[in-house]
Amino acid sequence: MEEDIESKAKDHTLVEQTQERILEYIHNEGYNYGAILPKEDELAKILGVSRVVIREANSGLRALGFIETKRKRWTVLVAPKFF
């Protein structure tokens, strides 16, 4: 098991790992589309990473269409729109 974690860490950056952990957190907590997610600083504490890493991870998730953000207000879980 440790080898899996170590090889995963070598294959993915901290931001990519955090994106995966955010999606796992969303799934495990039972969030539905349209739900407001925790703020960056709260999510950073939950996942044990810096707010900068959370911001970068959210940026990637936003680009992939998983979340939308309202500046200085909230982050909302959305259904990704595929072609």
Side-chain angles (χ1 to χ4, degrees), residues 65-78:
F66 286 104
I67 61 173
E68 290 180 359
T69 54
K70 302 294 181 191
R71 189 174 188 128
K72 296 190 179 187
R73 297 231 173 187
W74 57 75
T75 301
V76 178
L77 180 63
V78 296

Side-chain angles (χ1 to χ4, degrees), residues 36 47 51:
I36 297 174
L47 299 180
R51 191 168 164 215

Side-chain angles (χ1 to χ4, degrees), residues 32-44:
N32 294 314
Y33 297 125
I36 297 174
L37 302 176
K39 295 186 179 212
E40 288 178 353
D41 56 344
E42 185 179 342
L43 203 51

